Amino acid sequence: MSQENAQSVLNAEPLSDADQQIDDAINKEYSAGFVSNIESDTLEAGLSEDVIRFISGKKNEPEWMLEWRLKAYHQWLEMEEPEWAHVDYPKIDFNEISYYSAPKSMADGPKSLDEVDPDLIATYNKLGIPLHEQQMLAGVAVDAVFDSVSVATTFRENLKEAGVIFCPISEAVHEYPDLVKKYLASVVPVKDNYYAALNCAVFSDGSFVYIPKGVKCPMELSTYFRINEAKTGQFERTLIIAEEGSEVSYLEGCTAPMRDENQLHAAVVELVCLDGAKIKYSTVQNWYPGDAEGKGGIYNFVTKRGIAHTNSRISWTQVETGSAVTWKYPSCVLKGDNSVGEFYSVALTNNYQQADTGTKMIHIGKNTRSTIISKGISAGKSSNAYRGLVRFNAGADGARNFTQCDSLLIGSECAAHTFPYIESKNPKAIIEHEATTSKVSEDQLYLCQQRGIDAEKAVSMIVNGFCKDVFKELPMEFAVEAGKLLEVSLEGSVG
Amino acid sequence: MLTIENLQANVSDKNILKGLNLEIKPGEVHAIMGPNGAGKSTLGHVLAGRDGYEVSGGSVTLEGKDLLALECEERAREGIFLAFQYPVEIPGVSNMEFLKASVDAVRKHRELPAWDAVSFMKKAREACTAVNLDQQFLKRGVNEGFSGGEKKRNEIMQMMLLEPKLAILDETDSGLDIDALQVVANGVNALRSPDRSFIVVTHYQRLLDFIVPDYVHVLADGKIVKSGDKNLALELEEKGYGWLEGESA
């Protein structure tokens, strides 16, 4: 549309004086509005109380929310950036980051896929992403009402009927303040860690999910997300509450590389899993990893934790292939008796990527059980660390954990590290830990090639085989995409 | 079918093949025997195009095509099949998935129609039956936890599906009991046809009782030092290789 308009202006006859004045006036108004828009919507770099007031004001937040943010900010000021992770990156100057930028206007984006980087399109095609989703992901201005919008509306109706609340957390602050006040930071306390505190002070937006008692969410919240996800910005905040006996499966992220200019991401995700409830939270993370020389890329410092009450189950599944630096430990606090925590993870690093990821399973209740399956794949010159904590508190009678932690190396310049921590205050707790490190061997590649399979396909097949135990935990359609994602992420890893 | 002329090859800078000549016509079965370290397995890997096996001289043509100019996977698609002496495990990748990828790549290259899932399964099951492998093996990881004999039968099963022009059996008989040997030999014999050739590398004459070769060659110190018919194998069984030493000079 806009392209056609531009065209017609260019082709127009010279304007008469009167017409010219009118035209000028229209253009002026438009451009003035445009400029003021920019001025009010982009914030200079740096963090201060004023900045937080600004962010809160932009969202029209109630006083209590602002105060909560300010308190978090002052706590953050007294905290130190953690340095224990097995990652290495230049020190971040938190005053050089802009903490608020309004979502990009559709008009700023490319007008069609023809204007988008062909490499990106090639990647989308390899991942088998449908055209209209490609447009959305690349930020193409789509002004027609395309299918997905109406699909999204239908989804929303279905959810409403079931009593499920699914909305941006900024909306929930206004609409469901009691729930937000009760549960926000109830799982990840404000002072939990440096990045979590920062997130509390400046969080941009994220999702709020509430599943009422006994309700099984009628759909995977992924489906909705894939086509309707707004740019939530760099400081995402998600809160999921599953009431007694309810069930929900939530999927965040996307296999497609997202257009994003923010370098620092610090999200917080909290899951509240009440008695007998089940939450399955799946993540596919493919933020920009930097180029083959290790320049650029996202720093992804995430805090994800769930609290599991009696007889409930929390299951984290993640496929992490993006970001230059990843620092992420989705955890379960198994508070209630018989509660179950699961962590299934594939973390792939290539080129100069660094990942330090794993989980924490805190067994408090009796007969609590946890399972950890972690598959780390390192290629190129990357470094991949698994860091996991399994803790049994004194009261955790009959608790048990099974951990399997496998690393796969591709090439000879990458590294894999494993840091398992086990703390048991209960002599009766049972823990099993298995760990392996293997290499994609020349013999395996040779066997594949001798059967006509080229080296890249062979590596991707071997890696997919290695990850099978995790992929089978992903929602069906995503498992296939995740497989393709690994293939794309590994491109160029065999010489 | 295959013409090898004055082939010289190095592995880790060590000269292993030192001017090997061999002509194989369609439908023929050639057995290669010889003492340890003569270069028998090296010959198989050089023909298959394994990394690190460097050809320093000579030529190899497959149906007139310069085989040495092709990558390993291209040679496989052209119809070279190597049944490995020690088939490697690929955990988590099911035999079926592996075979499908392999068959697809090979058939695509040969401009043959792709097999759909149903006909592929049918062929794969038939091949399993032919080598006396339970169909459960199709679902298991490639060679994962297979016994030695199962691995070798799995190789022959793959060969049946890939329908090569030239199959190289690298000491396929090693580690097999007599029954398994019979099964493997039956599989090979079933594939013998006027347009398919075999190179059978073995230490022992007994395999050749089951797979009867048209020619037997003795490879010693990187060259073929003596050629004959199946009776040569019997002679070797009786006399060993020592009496041939003078001929390699």
Side-chain angles (χ1 to χ4, degrees):
Chain A
M1 282 291 284
S2 350
Q3 246 177 343
E4 279 171 25
N5 288 344
Q7 201 64 39
S8 66
V9 170
L10 284 175
N11 292 340
E13 299 276 328
L15 298 168
S16 69
D17 280 357
D19 287 347
Q20 182 71 56
Q21 279 171 345
I22 294 167
D23 202 55
D24 284 350
I26 293 168
N27 278 337
K28 204 170 183 178
E29 199 173 40
Y30 178 66
S31 63
F34 188 63
V35 169
S36 78
N37 218 7
I38 282 187
E39 278 169 350
S40 65
D41 279 7
T42 306
L43 204 55
E44 301 236 321
L47 189 51
S48 65
E49 274 203 19
D50 286 346
V51 166
I52 289 159
R53 284 179 199 284
F54 175 89
I55 294 169
S56 185
K58 265 283 158 198
K59 294 170 182 299
N60 242 336
E61 284 179 352
E63 192 60 27
W64 63 267
M65 194 72 243
L66 172 63
E67 273 166 22
W68 191 84
R69 285 179 182 270
L70 288 172
K71 198 174 152 204
Y73 169 64
H74 286 290
Q75 288 177 325
W76 176 73
L77 284 176
E78 287 165 20
M79 295 171 78
E80 300 257 327
E81 206 179 335
E83 280 172 357
W84 44 261
H86 195 86
V87 293
D88 182 26
Y89 53 91
K91 198 140 180 69
I92 299 169
D93 184 342
F94 289 87
N95 276 318
E96 283 205 343
I97 293 168
S98 170
Y99 289 87
Y100 183 86
S101 57
K104 281 218 163 185
S105 149
M106 280 296 206
D108 293 345
K111 301 290 179 285
S112 76
L113 283 179
D114 297 341
E115 293 178 30
V116 176
D117 182 358
D119 285 349
L120 193 62
I121 301 294
T123 305
Y124 288 162
N125 287 331
K126 277 180 208 154
L127 292 169
I129 292 169
L131 200 64
H132 69 268
E133 282 188 35
Q134 292 192 9
Q135 291 177 325
M136 189 205 72
L137 292 165
V140 172
V142 188
D143 48 9
V145 179
F146 62 92
D147 286 352
S148 60
V149 175
S150 51
V151 171
T153 315
T154 318
F155 287 162
R156 213 161 181 161
E157 290 296 312
N158 287 346
L159 290 175
K160 208 172 153 189
E161 228 165 84
V164 172
I165 301 169
F166 182 35
C167 67
I169 199 158
S170 56
E171 201 177 307
V173 167
H174 291 283
E175 304 289 325
Y176 314 101
D178 293 345
L179 284 172
V180 175
K181 275 186 210 170
K182 183 171 176 190
Y183 291 112
L184 192 67
S186 70
V187 185
V188 178
V190 174
K191 283 180 76 171
D192 187 81
N193 68 72
Y194 190 77
Y195 302 110
L198 178 65
N199 177 288
C200 291
V202 300
F203 74 84
S204 28
D205 212 336
S207 302
F208 177 81
V209 178
Y210 177 83
I211 316 290
K213 194 171 168 178
V215 169
K216 189 174 178 217
C217 188
M219 58 200 260
E220 295 257 352
L221 290 182
S222 60
T223 332
Y224 178 93
F225 238 72
R226 284 289 304 282
I227 51 179
N228 206 40
E229 186 171 25
K231 285 233 160 41
T232 42
Q234 57 201 118
F235 300 103
E236 198 171 337
R237 182 99 203 175
T238 295
L239 176 58
I240 298 178
I241 303 148
E243 284 282 5
E244 281 176 34
S246 67
E247 269 180 52
V248 61
S249 167
Y250 181 96
L251 192 140
E252 68 161 355
C254 191
T255 52
M258 297 283 272
R259 203 175 64 132
D260 196 304
E261 286 86 29
N262 298 313
Q263 202 187 14
L264 175 65
H265 281 240
V268 172
V269 174
E270 296 180 278
L271 310 182
V272 180
C273 198
L274 295 167
D275 292 358
K278 285 183 190 162
I279 300 178
K280 185 180 172 74
Y281 192 106
S282 314
T283 305
V284 174
Q285 186 263 119
N286 188 21
W287 300 108
Y288 182 54
D291 65 14
E293 273 75 50
K295 286 204 193 79
I298 304 275
Y299 295 168
N300 193 25
F301 302 127
V302 188
T303 307
K304 291 183 163 173
R305 192 174 307 152
I307 186 156
H309 292 264
T310 307
N311 296 323
S312 72
R313 174 189 290 257
I314 290 176
S315 176
W316 298 100
T317 306
Q318 61 171 17
V319 178
E320 301 275 328
T321 62
S323 298
V325 179
T326 300
W327 182 99
K328 182 183 171 190
Y329 317 92
S331 306
C332 299
V333 180
L334 304 172
K335 189 179 170 196
D337 293 350
N338 310 314
S339 58
V340 177
E342 295 169 321
F343 174 75
Y344 302 100
S345 168
V346 167
L348 181 150
T349 53
N350 196 358
N351 298 320
Y352 285 87
Q353 281 177 276
Q354 307 173 64
D356 191 304
T357 183
T359 185
K360 287 189 273 188
M361 293 291 176
I362 313 295
H363 293 255
I364 299 171
K366 292 187 178 59
N367 300 316
T368 46
R369 278 170 294 144
S370 63
T371 304
I372 299 170
I373 310 276
S374 164
K375 304 279 181 176
I377 302 141
S378 331
K381 296 184 163 72
S382 69
S383 162
N384 201 328
Y386 167 80
R387 186 182 303 276
L389 167 69
V390 178
R391 179 191 292 159
F392 298 103
N393 282 11
D397 289 341
R400 62 191 301 165
N401 161 269
F402 172 76
T403 299
Q404 187 180 338
C405 177
D406 299 326
S407 306
L408 184 68
L409 303 170
I410 302 171
S412 52
E413 292 179 278
C414 54
H417 310 271
T418 307
F419 305 100
Y421 303 86
I422 297 166
E423 297 171 9
S424 182
K425 292 183 181 130
N426 188 311
K428 281 183 270 177
I430 299 167
I431 182 159
E432 290 171 73
H433 185 102
E434 290 176 11
T436 66
T437 301
S438 52
K439 244 188 114 167
V440 173
S441 71
E442 280 173 25
D443 287 350
Q444 288 173 328
L445 278 182
Y446 179 40
L447 171 60
C448 293
Q449 287 176 287
Q450 212 302 304
R451 297 299 183 257
I453 302 165
D454 62 59
E456 287 212 339
K457 167 85 182 158
V459 168
S460 112
M461 206 159 70
I462 293 166
V463 170
N464 269 296
F466 175 74
C467 299
K468 204 165 69 178
D469 293 343
V470 174
F471 284 174
K472 69 176 190 224
E473 298 296 330
L474 282 173
M476 188 60 162
E477 77 278 13
F478 242 83
V480 178
E481 276 188 33
K484 287 188 199 154
L485 174 61
L486 291 194
E487 197 168 325
V488 172
S489 304
L490 281 170
E491 259 172 25
S493 65
V494 276
Chain B
M1 169 81 62
L2 186 81
T3 307
I4 304 175
E5 279 175 355
N6 192 30
L7 183 63
Q8 297 153 53
N10 304 324
V11 184
S12 318
D13 291 329
K14 193 168 178 245
N15 193 213
I16 308 283
L17 299 183
K18 302 172 181 173
L20 187 144
N21 295 292
L22 187 62
E23 172 80 35
I24 298 177
K25 296 199 171 60
E28 291 177 353
V29 175
H30 290 241
I32 309 258
M33 304 183 75
N36 289 329
K40 300 189 299 293
S41 288
T42 300
L43 174 63
H45 292 313
V46 167
L47 293 179
R50 182 176 196 163
D51 257 3
Y53 285 66
E54 188 203 338
V55 173
S56 53
S59 69
V60 180
T61 55
L62 178 73
E63 292 185 329
K65 264 186 207 164
D66 179 4
L67 194 69
L68 300 178
L70 302 177
E71 295 294 327
C72 176
E73 62 266 29
E74 293 168 329
R75 298 183 196 190
R77 293 170 195 164
E78 284 289 337
I80 300 278
F81 181 95
L82 175 65
F84 288 90
Q85 184 178 2
Y86 304 110
V88 65
E89 299 191 2
I90 310 182
V93 177
S94 78
N95 226 350
M96 194 148 51
E97 180 190 353
F98 174 76
L99 276 170
K100 183 80 166 71
S102 170
V103 166
D104 284 351
V106 166
R107 291 187 68 86
K108 187 177 168 204
H109 178 81
R110 295 183 197 161
E111 294 178 350
L112 295 166
W115 285 339
D116 60 42
V118 178
S119 35
F120 172 77
M121 275 312 297
K122 189 165 169 277
K123 305 252 186 198
R125 289 201 186 106
E126 284 168 6
C128 277
T129 309
V131 294
N132 203 13
L133 265 187
D134 192 283
Q135 288 172 14
Q136 284 302 318
F137 280 87
L138 290 170
K139 292 183 188 161
R140 285 172 57 177
V142 177
N143 294 318
E144 198 179 352
F146 290 20
S147 73
E150 286 161 352
K151 284 181 183 174
K152 297 294 174 78
R153 281 184 274 156
N154 198 33
E155 294 289 288
I156 303 302
M157 194 262 281
Q158 293 171 27
M159 179 167 78
M160 290 177 157
L161 287 171
L162 290 173
E163 301 173 336
K165 286 177 192 153
L166 173 72
I168 305 157
L169 310 184
D170 187 8
E171 300 197 24
T172 298
D173 51 337
S174 68
L176 290 187
D177 62 33
I178 199 79
D179 295 330
L181 191 65
Q182 178 78 60
V183 167
V184 164
N186 289 348
V188 172
N189 288 329
L191 280 178
R192 285 181 78 158
S193 85
D195 50 9
R196 180 170 297 131
S197 311
F198 291 84
I199 295 177
V200 180
V201 174
T202 182
H203 267 293
Y204 303 106
Q205 194 275 331
R206 89 181 162 163
L207 177 67
L208 305 180
D209 286 340
F210 298 107
I211 304 172
V212 180
D214 299 299
Y215 299 94
V216 174
H217 309 278
V218 178
L219 184 60
D221 194 26
K223 284 181 191 170
I224 286 176
V225 293
K226 190 164 184 65
S227 297
D229 62 12
K230 60 181 178 179
N231 293 318
L232 177 58
L234 294 168
E235 205 177 340
L236 290 168
E237 181 88 346
E238 197 179 313
K239 298 193 201 164
Y241 297 110
W243 61 286
L244 291 165
E245 257 164 28
E247 309 199 21
S248 68

